[in-house]
Amino acid sequence: MARKKQETTTEDFSKYIRWFWMLFLGGVLFVLLLFLLASWGVFGDMPDHTQLENPKTHLATEVISSDGKTLGKFYLNDNRTPVSYDELSQNLVDALIATEDARFHDHSGIDARGTLRAFFFLGGRGGASTISQQLARQLFVGVRSKNKLETAIQKIKEWVIAIRLERQYTKEEIIAQYFNIYDFGNNADGIRSAAAIYFDKEPGELSMKESAMLVGMFKNSALYNPRRNPVGVKNRRNVVLYQLEKYDYITEAVKDSLQKTALDLRYTPQSHRDGIATYFRGYLDGFMKDWIKKNPKPDGTKYNLYNDGLKIYTTIDSRMQRYAEIAVQQHMSRLQAEFFNQNTPKRNPTAPFLELTQQEIKTLMKRSMRQGERWRILKKEGKSDKEIEASFYKPTKMTVFEWKEGKASEVDTIMKPIDSMRYYKSFLKPGMMSMDPLTGHVKAWVGGMNYRHFQYDMVKQGKRQIGSTFKPLVYATAIDQLHYSPCDEFPDTPFCIEKGKYGNPEEWCPKNSGGEDDYGGTRTLKNALANSVNTITARLIDKVGPQPVVDLAKKLGVESDIPAVPSIALGTPDISLYEMVGAYAAFANKGVYTKPVMVTTIEDKNGTILYQFKPKTRDVLNEETAYVVVKLLEGVTEGGSGSRLKHKFAASRTEYKEVITGYPYGFTNPIAGKTGTTQNQSDGWFMGMVPNLVTGVWVGAEDRAAHFRTITYGQGASMALPIWGLYMKSCYADETLNVSKEAFEKPTNLSINVDCSKASDTIDDDPGDDIPDDLDGF
């Protein structure tokens, strides 16, 4: 009886064992079946081999300087530029593994121990998602569903994709992809953007605590946003540091020390309107869109500037660009302060305009109103002209530009749009371009003082009267045709070109800036150009004719319209700074014109070269003529309107130091240059050259009626030259740039005399406290 009972008990126990194994094996088979069904796409599309090899991610186009720095990016939603594993700081890798997947190097996509722990404790002791699974979700699965069944299906798909990713990529590649795909907030898509935006660094330069902060954001970058929730981010960073100490990546002492520190953010936003070289990037946007139209992909589709991850290698040098922007900011803030000082309501009731009646101002403002962005937007919304005009007189909340403590700034205010228009018209605006004359490579491009508020580019887009900076082209034509020497003398007397000659509708009699007292004796050509004597320039264009001067300008790359009339000798045409720098560069380059180059190479995201520039050059002047022009231009800085680059003001001129920024400049090397000032001081120019760098600067207001009242501050030597001086001082201080201090190379067989030391004119080689001006009297 006892045996029978024992057999029954054993039989019942065996039954439970069989049931256990049946359930266990059934569960395993069921899981395997789920995996198979998922891999076959039953639960939704799964990535194939090609998609795993090239996951669809939007990559920003990167703009790269000649010295290898990122100037900016073109993107719509994803500011992402991928990096390789080798470009990551080891601190980042250690922090990621310690926090997200401690057994990363021991599994093949799924952490069995972690999965069982999460299953038995229902996630109470941490999740089980590996880095590979999280990457799978980011790339192919998407946001976790709130539906439990859909969540389970998503999890299965993650497991399958994670295993495939582990087969497709190395562990290092998976880590790099994970860092590249994540959105860190504030336009920081991917680790490279995050490192730059939050710490102004490359990923490989991040410290342990910086790496810990960024890795901590993987939990939820919207919640752990260092700008909105710095306390929460610091706490989360400290959790990451604890994990690093737990897994022996750092010592307890290091952990305790780092946990006490602040986040030390260096927030550097990346947008199309912020950062370095914004005006250049604005130009580049148009350049690239034009290139994309003309250069389709091999399959006939067009490249996407914002999503295809192109790399644009430019000629801009990030160091020189920064020096240029700093020089502009330093000088313009002080020059603007003086302009405001001269345009108070008491001093100028029609500020910022001069020589305009109230009716003329009203007409000007109404015309500007219709040309503005506000009018365009409201018109598009279907508003009538009357409604739109009325809106300009209603107080509105706005953010406007201002100079504050010498820096570009913004202020929130309430202002009528019509008043804001007049306020912006009171600002003087700069333009600056710097170029290597031998290669044509543009090294710095500053189209204005603040792209967010003044988007009109005054390097290539804007064109203004060029004043005396055009005179060297007249001199060059005369030297080329008539073999004149800088030492040849001309009478310093009034001069007229009669009516009808060269198409003159009436007699043309230009005056010198000094009036009737500014005549007498003779002057050498060197003295005449140095002091910008209008009558002698008029004599030269009378001898060669206007058309050859126009022809020379065209050969030197000037595409703007230049009428073949004598008055062009004094700089009446409207020409861009871009054109003028290109033209002057030919003088420094021995008479060879090289078209300015901004882009050297364009690559796709895989590094395939799509475009490589070919230099465009042409011989315009012989080497001797070009050198003689350079020697003439050196006279401008030796004893003419540009002499303040090398001389000090006398005591009586100390008040100028408040505006003439950076003075004294103390240059001792040869500098060829030319100032320019247009009628009523509306435009100030300076073109300056050394053997391997040509730089042009323009300063003026949007409307020609807004200008300084007198030549004291309104001449090119006061408005534009200081920016050149500040910029060049910075360039020379940075010896890595190798900006030349040498003399311009003399031609081997120079037949024209350039040594005017024995000339009989009265050139003032040491002007002392005299500041010669070059106002053109046309």
Side-chain angles (χ1 to χ4, degrees):
M1 190 73 181
R3 178 182 288 181
K4 188 172 183 181
K5 189 174 182 179
Q6 186 179 1
E7 288 175 357
T8 302
T9 303
T10 304
E11 194 175 303
D12 290 343
F13 186 70
S14 298
K15 184 170 71 173
Y16 288 129
I17 292 174
R18 284 197 302 274
W19 272 106
F20 170 77
W21 282 110
M22 286 172 63
L23 289 172
F24 177 76
L25 292 172
V28 172
L29 289 172
F30 180 70
V31 171
L32 289 173
L33 178 62
L34 288 176
F35 270 71
L36 283 171
L37 291 173
S39 65
W40 292 338
V42 173
F43 301 136
D45 291 337
M46 294 287 282
D48 57 22
H49 175 82
T50 303
Q51 289 171 307
L52 287 172
E53 185 72 33
N54 295 289
K56 283 188 177 180
T57 54
H58 289 166
L59 302 178
T61 289
E62 187 176 10
V63 182
I64 303 169
S65 69
S66 61
D67 55 323
K69 303 295 182 182
T70 299
L71 296 175
K73 298 176 185 178
F74 294 117
Y75 63 91
L76 290 178
N77 299 314
D78 294 339
N79 178 22
R80 180 176 291 105
T81 303
V83 297
S84 66
Y85 180 84
D86 293 336
E87 295 174 88
L88 297 172
S89 163
Q90 188 61 43
N91 295 325
L92 277 171
V93 177
D94 293 345
L96 178 66
I97 293 174
T99 308
E100 300 290 334
D101 192 354
R103 288 179 290 277
F104 175 68
H105 289 290
D106 300 325
H107 62 69
S108 299
I110 300 175
D111 182 3
R113 282 175 57 187
T115 302
L116 290 172
R117 183 193 65 224
F119 179 78
F120 283 115
F121 294 100
L122 301 177
R125 295 191 180 179
S129 288
T130 63
I131 292 172
S132 303
Q133 286 174 246
Q134 293 179 53
L135 177 60
R137 181 166 69 246
Q138 291 276 348
L139 287 174
F140 303 108
V141 179
V143 179
R144 181 74 74 228
S145 173
K146 294 181 179 179
N147 182 286
K148 291 185 178 179
L149 178 60
E150 290 180 358
T151 298
I153 291 173
Q154 285 180 326
K155 198 70 179 175
I156 293 167
K157 291 173 71 174
E158 282 176 23
W159 285 340
V160 174
I161 296 171
I163 292 171
R164 289 184 177 180
L165 287 172
E166 291 271 352
R167 291 175 181 172
Q168 188 86 18
Y169 296 102
T170 65
K171 292 286 187 181
E172 290 76 13
E173 288 171 333
I174 288 172
I175 285 177
Q177 282 199 58
Y178 187 58
F179 274 114
N180 286 326
I181 198 64
Y182 194 73
D183 179 0
F184 291 87
N186 296 307
N187 284 332
D189 299 300
I191 190 62
R192 189 166 188 214
S193 294
I197 288 173
Y198 292 123
F199 298 109
D200 196 21
K201 291 184 176 182
E202 290 293 326
E205 300 169 342
L206 293 170
S207 67
M208 182 58 78
K209 75 171 189 176
E210 292 165 345
S211 299
M213 190 204 88
L214 293 174
V215 168
M217 293 175 70
F218 279 122
K219 188 172 181 68
N220 184 338
S221 61
L223 175 62
Y224 296 108
N225 184 317
R227 298 192 70 210
R228 293 198 297 262
N229 183 17
V231 175
V233 171
K234 183 178 179 181
N235 292 337
R236 178 61 187 162
R237 179 204 67 180
N238 289 349
V239 170
V240 176
L241 292 170
Y242 169 80
Q243 290 293 109
L244 282 160
E245 187 266 331
K246 177 182 176 181
Y247 290 104
D248 297 326
Y249 288 104
I250 59 176
T251 64
E252 184 176 3
V254 171
K255 179 205 73 173
D256 293 340
S257 175
L258 292 178
Q259 285 182 335
K260 295 175 184 177
T261 61
L263 294 177
D264 293 331
L265 293 177
R266 289 188 62 190
Y267 184 66
T268 311
Q270 289 186 349
S271 74
H272 304 304
R273 296 186 178 187
D274 295 306
I276 189 174
T278 46
Y279 288 92
F280 173 73
R281 286 187 275 133
Y283 156 78
L284 198 58
D285 182 270
F287 172 89
M288 286 303 299
K289 286 175 179 174
D290 183 59
W291 181 86
I292 285 169
K293 282 181 185 177
K294 299 174 182 176
N295 297 272
K297 295 179 182 178
D299 63 3
T301 60
K302 292 184 177 180
Y303 289 100
N304 189 310
L305 180 62
Y306 307 104
N307 295 334
D308 281 347
L310 302 175
K311 289 187 183 295
I312 308 170
Y313 293 90
T314 72
T315 60
I316 298 294
D317 186 294
S318 69
R319 298 160 296 182
M320 298 173 80
Q321 180 68 30
R322 287 194 187 280
Y323 299 150
E325 292 180 6
I326 291 169
V328 165
Q329 184 169 266
Q330 285 181 330
H331 180 61
M332 292 307 299
S333 60
R334 298 179 74 175
L335 188 69
Q336 188 65 49
E338 177 59 30
F339 190 71
F340 280 148
N341 182 51
Q342 293 186 21
N343 281 278
T344 60
K346 189 174 182 179
R347 288 188 171 190
N348 181 15
T350 60
F353 309 111
L354 292 170
E355 298 99 26
L356 291 185
T357 65
Q358 291 294 346
Q359 183 57 46
E360 288 172 330
I361 292 172
K362 187 177 179 180
T363 302
L364 184 153
M365 295 300 294
K366 195 166 185 175
R367 182 172 62 248
S368 297
M369 192 188 296
R370 289 176 172 270
Q371 294 172 343
E373 185 72 3
R374 181 184 182 85
W375 188 284
R376 186 188 67 79
I377 292 172
L378 293 177
K379 196 70 177 176
K380 197 173 182 180
E381 292 176 1
K383 304 285 186 183
S384 68
D385 288 2
K386 189 175 181 180
E387 289 174 313
I388 297 173
E389 191 166 337
S391 74
F392 277 84
Y393 294 89
K394 294 178 181 177
T396 306
K397 288 183 178 180
M398 61 180 70
T399 302
V400 297
F401 174 85
E402 69 170 359
W403 289 112
K404 188 174 182 180
E405 297 178 356
K407 293 183 179 180
S409 184
E410 293 180 331
V411 60
D412 294 327
T413 187
I414 297 176
M415 189 182 289
K416 294 176 184 177
I418 190 72
D419 292 335
S420 72
M421 284 175 53
R422 193 158 181 164
Y423 171 71
Y424 276 113
K425 285 179 179 293
S426 68
F427 279 93
L428 298 173
K429 300 176 182 180
M432 177 180 178
M433 176 175 147
S434 192
M435 167 181 158
D436 182 331
L438 283 71
T439 62
H441 287 192
V442 175
K443 296 298 182 179
W445 178 305
V446 185
M449 55 201 174
N450 185 278
Y451 191 73
R452 184 175 290 275
H453 292 275
F454 305 93
Q455 294 180 29
Y456 195 75
D457 174 44
M458 290 307 300
V459 170
K460 200 169 191 292
Q461 190 177 9
K463 297 182 180 184
R464 295 294 289 256
Q465 281 189 341
I466 49 176
S468 291
T469 56
F470 192 77
K471 288 176 180 175
L473 276 71
V474 179
Y475 279 68
T477 305
I479 293 165
D480 191 49
Q481 287 190 6
L482 306 173
H483 215 62
Y484 281 139
S485 161
C487 311
D488 286 339
E489 298 181 9
F490 286 78
D492 184 13
T493 56
F495 179 78
C496 294
I497 296 179
E498 61 269 26
K499 178 181 178 179
K501 191 175 184 181
Y502 303 125
N504 261 352
E506 56 187 35
E507 188 180 54
W508 182 61
C509 303
K511 294 180 174 58
N512 292 334
S513 58
E516 295 299 325
D517 296 331
D518 198 17
Y519 297 104
T522 62
R523 289 180 183 264
T524 63
L525 288 182
K526 184 175 182 179
N527 177 284
L529 186 62
N531 291 279
S532 214
V533 179
N534 292 332
T535 53
I536 291 182
T537 309
R539 289 179 185 275
L540 292 179
I541 202 167
D542 183 46
K543 289 184 178 295
V544 298
Q547 189 59 53
V549 177
V550 173
D551 293 342
L552 175 63
K554 296 299 180 183
K555 291 175 185 177
L556 291 174
V558 177
E559 297 178 352
S560 299
D561 181 56
I562 304 177
V565 295
S567 62
I568 64 171
L570 306 188
T572 54
D574 288 358
I575 298 176
S576 71
L577 183 61
Y578 171 87
E579 293 170 298
M580 290 302 293
V581 173
Y584 267 67
F587 299 138
N589 195 28
K590 302 179 180 181
V592 178
Y593 171 76
T594 302
K595 187 175 181 178
V597 178
M598 284 71 75
V599 176
T600 58
T601 309
I602 301 172
E603 293 180 353
D604 67 12
K605 64 181 179 181
N606 299 314
T608 303
I609 294 176
L610 306 175
Y611 164 87
Q612 210 157 20
F613 95 100
K614 297 176 181 176
K616 294 181 179 179
T617 64
R618 56 175 171 265
D619 293 338
V620 177
L621 298 167
N622 62 59
E623 185 178 349
E624 183 178 48
T625 298
Y627 181 74
V628 171
V629 174
V630 167
K631 297 305 289 184
L632 282 167
L633 292 171
E634 284 182 0
V636 175
T637 63
E638 290 168 357
S641 56
S643 60
R644 65 183 60 182
L645 289 171
K646 297 186 176 184
H647 297 87
K648 295 181 180 180
F649 289 126
S652 61
R653 296 291 183 173
T654 54
E655 73 273 12
Y656 282 94
K657 295 179 183 178
E658 294 302 314
V659 173
I660 311 306
T661 328
Y663 190 86
Y665 305 105
F667 295 115
T668 57
N669 57 294
I671 297 171
K674 186 71 190 81
T675 56
T677 309
T678 62
Q679 192 77 359
N680 296 326
Q681 301 82 244
S682 295
D683 305 272
W685 291 80
F686 184 72
M687 307 296 297
M689 303 190 297
V690 294
N692 64 350
L693 194 65
V694 177
T695 304
V697 183
W698 166 88
V699 174
E702 177 183 328
D703 299 285
R704 297 184 196 274
H707 56 80
F708 280 107
R709 192 179 295 275
T710 68
I711 199 71
T712 303
Y713 297 107
Q715 62 179 305
S718 299
M719 291 208 292
L721 179 145
I723 294 176
W724 190 93
L726 289 166
Y727 169 68
M728 290 300 291
K729 284 174 77 172
S730 296
C731 287
Y732 281 135
D734 187 342
E735 295 181 359
T736 63
L737 295 175
N738 295 316
V739 176
S740 176
K741 289 186 177 181
E742 303 301 318
F744 288 87
E745 186 178 345
K746 184 178 179 179
T748 306
N749 299 311
L750 181 64
S751 62
I752 298 176
N753 177 34
V754 294
D755 180 8
C756 304
S757 58
K758 297 179 181 180
S760 62
D761 64 21
T762 56
I763 186 168
D764 185 2
D765 289 321
D766 187 8
D769 65 350
D770 180 44
I771 304 172
D773 63 63
D774 62 342
L775 181 66
D776 298 306
F778 51 79

